[in-house]
Amino acid sequence: MTPNAQPKVCLDVAIDHRMRRLFEPVPIDLTEPSDHVSRIEARGRSLKRPSDEVKVTAQLAGPSFKGGIAIVLQQPRNNHPFGKGLDAVVEDCESLSALSDIFTTVSCGTLDIRTDIAIIDLLPYVAENVGKVHDDYLKESFHVSTQAICDKEPEVLLCAGKIWLPKAGRFDNRKGEAWKLENVGVGVKLGSNPKLPIKTRIRHENNGLVTISKVNGFHPSYAMNYHSHVSLLRQLQILIGVETCRTLRGDWEDEQWMEDLRRRCQNISNSISTPSPKSPPPPSPSQRSVGRYSTKYLPEYQELYSDKLLDLGKSTCSLISGTRSTKKSPTATYDFLLSSGLSEICNDATLILRQMARLQRKGWPESVAWKNEAALNEAATETLQLSENLVKAAKQGRGTQLASVIQQGAKCILTNVNGKKPDYQLDLDGACDAFLELAADIETLLFDLLVEKEEALNALGQEEILSAMLGEMKLAPKAAVTVIPAMPVPAPF
């Protein structure tokens, strides 16, 4: 599948064009049986958990073979619809649904978390707050998950969970070796220093030490629920999926832009979610439903949306003005558009509108209706103004690729504003789709410009090589010519 034929959207955001180039099928050839699924099943039965819960938990931990990919999460949610089966549980859970979307996308449809990837919680069957769970019970649960991973012996382990234990001291042994399976923070790269090794060794209770290659991740709920309006965190989730699959394939290579993405996400995490040393540890993302910890109200999302529209207007006008005033090379145009962050702004707008639409569907008490309706009217008015300004700016772009993309996107966004001044109304779902389409079109343009840039650099490189070769030929000293005297021609007989 060529990069332009790859999926352009994952986790409800337009995928970074540089990532799409890395999507490849992932061959899976698992033949050696493993006991990890039976271990998970046995744990559930020993706790007398409902049979439906044990069945689905075991299915998520499958397949029953060694090798392949395993993912470690945290805890099960306390209200999964286990009775409806595996598919219903995945579709009803933001985290599992996100993992399904990611691995199907980055593997070109060759991987399905339901059948090809083992998903195991650090605390299987423990949905309660860990502060209320007895220490012996915790130790047993951590031991089960650790030994299940040892049974599985995955070729790649994605560490996407971390349990914050209360009253954890330096010599706390409740986790055993399970801490080696935990993530080490958003945007942190394993192997970046000796304290963060890529490979870890864990002692199996029967078979000695097991060596496991790891990829550092973070819980999908952090991106999908806790910070649902920040598209950059979703891009990092997709990149982590790419790294996991490429590591299994044996052809993973890190690039500078990936480090930039990790650093930016790390900064986001540090700025908005780092608890102080005296604060209680954050609750497990898998324990609570979206509605209970999405604390923003519609007017707050409207303010975020307003900021994104302002950023979009400024960036677009600057880009179109810059590309019109000078004839930029593919390299300069690509760098200019990439540095503007235009697609990221559109992705953020998409996610903010999605949250506003969710709150609108949910409804609100009469006491706050005036405030929410005013926020929706403000969003509609600002969207109308932005769209009209973008159309005008695009007309001045003199038919450039960027101007065409902006003009088409702005017109599409504009169709979702209805009503008459001053009572404009915004179709939130329609506008959300329009911004997403614009983000995807920008990423496609970036992809095409990147190809042109690489071709131009390659041609320049060939010219420099040829020029160097010609220079060597001109500078080479003339070879001495030896004149051999002509031999007399013998007379004919």
Side-chain angles (χ1 to χ4, degrees):
M1 186 182 294
T2 61
N4 265 331
Q6 300 282 14
K8 298 178 181 179
V9 174
C10 182
L11 303 184
D12 295 325
V13 297
I15 306 167
D16 189 303
H17 61 287
R18 295 164 295 189
M19 262 188 270
R20 285 166 48 195
R21 292 154 59 99
L22 303 176
F23 296 170
E24 293 286 350
V26 180
I28 294 291
D29 184 21
L30 307 180
T31 57
E32 185 179 355
S34 169
D35 295 329
H36 72 281
V37 174
S38 59
R39 186 187 292 272
I40 293 294
E41 286 177 318
R43 176 62 174 173
R45 287 193 294 267
S46 72
L47 297 174
K48 296 181 170 53
R49 303 301 301 173
S51 59
D52 289 334
E53 180 181 359
V54 174
K55 180 180 178 180
V56 172
T57 304
Q59 288 175 323
L60 285 170
S64 300
F65 295 99
K66 293 181 182 294
I69 295 172
I71 302 173
V72 169
L73 295 179
Q74 293 178 190
Q75 299 173 252
R77 207 177 68 197
N78 59 10
N79 59 350
H80 283 302
F82 291 115
K84 296 181 180 180
L86 176 60
D87 287 341
V89 170
V90 172
E91 292 170 7
D92 186 65
C93 176
E94 286 276 10
S95 297
L96 294 176
S97 180
L99 290 173
S100 177
D101 193 9
I102 291 168
F103 281 94
T104 299
T105 299
V106 304
S107 71
C108 302
T110 57
L111 291 180
D112 187 335
I113 65 165
R114 298 164 181 81
T115 55
D116 304 310
I117 296 174
I119 299 178
I120 298 173
D121 284 318
L122 286 164
L123 292 174
Y125 303 106
V126 181
E128 299 85 1
N129 186 312
V130 293
K132 300 178 181 180
V133 181
H134 193 276
D135 286 351
D136 290 340
Y137 193 94
L138 288 175
K139 288 177 68 174
E140 292 172 4
S141 297
F142 280 123
H143 177 75
V144 169
S145 61
T146 303
Q147 292 304 304
I149 293 297
C150 287
D151 292 335
K152 171 69 173 171
E153 295 184 40
E155 294 164 85
V156 186
L157 176 69
L158 171 53
C159 305
K162 186 177 182 67
I163 302 295
W164 298 86
L165 293 178
K167 301 177 182 178
R170 183 176 180 183
F171 301 104
D172 192 315
N173 65 349
R174 285 174 291 179
K175 289 186 180 181
E177 290 191 285
W179 65 271
K180 296 179 180 179
L181 310 178
E182 294 182 317
N183 74 68
V184 293
V186 176
V188 178
K189 174 69 175 173
L190 293 179
S192 57
N193 67 65
K195 293 183 179 180
L196 299 172
I198 295 175
K199 293 182 181 293
T200 190
R201 303 178 75 188
I202 301 176
R203 186 169 297 281
H204 190 280
E205 58 190 11
N206 297 323
N207 300 325
L209 291 173
V210 176
T211 301
I212 300 172
S213 294
K214 302 189 297 181
V215 170
N216 183 52
F218 61 98
H219 202 285
S221 187
Y222 186 79
M224 304 303 294
N225 294 328
Y226 281 90
H227 306 294
S228 56
H229 62 287
V230 183
S231 65
L232 208 63
L233 292 171
R234 301 191 185 206
Q235 297 284 8
L236 182 55
Q237 280 282 328
I238 301 168
L239 178 61
I240 289 167
V242 173
E243 181 179 358
T244 302
C245 290
R246 284 278 188 168
T247 299
L248 180 64
R249 285 170 50 93
D251 57 3
W252 169 251
E253 292 184 7
D254 219 58
E255 299 178 27
Q256 182 58 49
W257 66 266
M258 300 174 185
E259 185 57 36
D260 295 338
L261 173 59
R262 295 190 193 100
R263 176 181 47 77
R264 290 186 63 199
C265 287
Q266 196 170 4
N267 291 339
I268 290 172
S269 176
N270 291 338
S271 65
I272 62 181
S273 62
T274 300
S276 66
K278 295 182 180 180
S279 300
S284 168
S286 56
Q287 285 181 279
R288 304 193 288 177
S289 63
V290 175
R292 290 178 61 188
Y293 55 82
S294 290
T295 56
K296 285 183 173 57
Y297 298 99
L298 199 145
E300 293 176 290
Y301 280 120
Q302 185 271 319
E303 290 180 9
L304 291 172
Y305 178 64
S306 179
D307 290 340
K308 293 301 172 183
L309 294 185
L310 185 61
D311 291 342
L312 181 59
K314 289 180 178 178
S315 296
T316 302
C317 291
S318 175
L319 279 167
I320 291 178
S321 175
T323 54
R324 186 181 73 247
S325 60
T326 57
K327 292 185 177 180
K328 293 184 178 294
S329 66
T331 296
T333 303
Y334 172 79
D335 293 342
F336 197 33
L337 178 56
L338 181 65
S339 63
S340 72
L342 205 59
S343 65
E344 182 184 337
I345 296 171
C346 292
N347 273 331
D348 286 343
T350 294
L351 296 180
I352 294 169
L353 287 169
R354 195 174 298 280
Q355 292 304 312
M356 293 173 66
R358 177 181 62 80
L359 292 175
Q360 186 182 50
R361 286 191 293 270
K362 185 179 178 181
W364 43 72
E366 187 64 30
S367 59
V368 297
W370 67 272
K371 185 183 297 185
N372 290 341
E373 289 169 2
L376 290 174
N377 178 258
E378 183 70 16
T381 302
E382 291 182 343
T383 302
L384 175 65
Q385 293 172 346
L386 172 82
S387 302
E388 291 177 341
N389 290 338
L390 290 184
V391 170
K392 291 178 183 177
K395 288 181 180 179
Q396 300 175 3
R398 298 177 182 174
T400 63
Q401 287 179 295
L402 176 61
S404 298
V405 168
I406 295 298
Q407 186 175 44
Q408 180 180 345
K411 288 181 177 179
C412 187
I413 294 169
L414 188 58
T415 61
N416 293 284
V417 181
N418 305 305
K420 296 182 179 180
K421 186 178 181 180
D423 299 319
Y424 293 118
Q425 296 178 335
L426 180 63
D427 179 348
L428 296 175
D429 289 316
C432 172
D433 293 339
F435 273 104
L436 180 58
E437 184 176 351
L438 177 55
D441 289 343
I442 293 169
E443 288 293 346
T444 297
L445 176 57
L446 280 166
F447 178 87
D448 294 338
L449 289 171
L450 178 57
V451 172
E452 291 181 27
K453 172 183 176 180
E454 291 174 340
E455 289 176 349
L457 291 175
N458 184 56
L460 180 61
Q462 294 294 331
E463 289 179 5
E464 289 177 349
I465 293 173
L466 181 59
S467 176
M469 292 174 63
L470 290 172
E472 290 176 0
M473 293 175 63
K474 291 177 180 179
L475 294 174
K478 293 183 179 181
V481 178
T482 303
V483 179
I484 302 175
M487 296 294 292
V489 180
F493 293 103

